[in-house]
């Protein structure tokens, strides 16, 4: 089985700041990693994913994430946040068996102040 | 982007009653999922459905749960009978294929069992 840990429950930043959201996982085999964003009252929106290849992946709205096998991590970053980035961010992992569905972390709430 | 709709957004029922949660997935998607999120806890995978069959289910998918998608209509989750511990937000998701394709999520249905 796989587990996901998001160490920060809440992150507060100012507009224009950079932000890094941490995600660590445990799983022994090939892994599929993704990040989702959830604005208040809405469904999860896909940001980006990693399965193989370049460990740095680009997503929508300037987000990127870097996979590290040695650290078992998939941290999400953005160089300059906007107030509209205020939301809850979920890291998700899945093994090779796609039918098992995604395993989510608890989420990190990001509050962006002007 | 592609949207997954869920009806209703909120449902309040008495324990022991039957409830059906409806999901309108993205039109050309073939894989369908249900997830459950109890307040303050992680979102957890319930079931994956493809080609008219349950492909995989978790231990949370109790015998009282069933899913179907008759003739390409709504993808439904039925709980009969409901229990107090079924109170949660239920998220539907769909993806075009299995494998590394991202899942698109609906906004969730908040189910309250009294």
């Amino acid at each position: 089985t796989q587990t996901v840990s998001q160490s920060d429950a809440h992150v507060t930043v100012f507009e224009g700041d950079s932000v890094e959201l941490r995600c660590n996982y445990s799983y022994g085999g090939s892994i599929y990693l993704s990040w989702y964003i959830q604005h208040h009252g809405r469904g999860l929106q896909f940001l980006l994913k990693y399965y193989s290849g370049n460990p740095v992946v680009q997503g929508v709205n300037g987000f990127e994430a870097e996979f590290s096998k040695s650290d078992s991590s998939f941290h999400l970053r953005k160089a300059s946040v906007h107030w509209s980035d205020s939301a809850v961010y979920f890291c998700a992992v899945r093994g090779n068996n796609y039918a098992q569905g995604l395993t989510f972390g608890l989420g990190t709430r990001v509050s962006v102040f002007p | 982007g592609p949207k997954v709709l869920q009806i209703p957004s909120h449902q309040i029922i008495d324990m022991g009653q039957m409830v059906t949660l409806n999901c309108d997935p993205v039109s050309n998607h073939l894989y369908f999922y249900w997830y459950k999120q109890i307040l303050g806890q992680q979102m957890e995978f319930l079931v994956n459905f493809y080609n008219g069959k349950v492909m995989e289910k978790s231990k949370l998918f109790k015998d009282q749960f069933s899913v179907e998608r008759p003739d390409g209509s709504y993808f439904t989750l039925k709980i009969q009978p409901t229990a107090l511990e079924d109170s949660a937000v239920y998220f539907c998701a769909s993806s075009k294929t299995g494998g590394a394709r991202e899942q698109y999520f609906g906004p969730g249905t908040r189910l309250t069992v009294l």
Side-chain angles (χ1 to χ4, degrees), chain A residues 4-5 32 36 38 41-46 49 51 90 94 96-107, chain B residues 3 31 33 35 37 40-45 47-48 55-56 91 98-108:
Chain A
V4 182
S5 171
Y32 169 88
Y36 285 82
Q38 186 180 33
R42 298 172 65 176
L44 278 71
Q45 291 176 265
F46 173 79
K49 67 184 178 188
Y51 187 64
F90 292 94
R94 196 203 70 213
N96 254 338
N97 181 3
Y98 62 84
Q100 283 183 333
L102 299 169
T103 298
F104 285 90
L106 274 170
Chain B
K3 287 196 187 310
Y31 291 80
Y33 307 79
Y35 292 81
Q37 185 178 34
Q41 298 184 22
Q42 283 158 300
M43 189 179 314
E44 294 187 273
F45 167 73
V47 66
N48 166 244
M55 300 296 288
E56 189 85 25
F91 291 93
R101 285 286 187 148
E102 57 267 29
Q103 295 178 23
Y104 290 85
F105 284 79

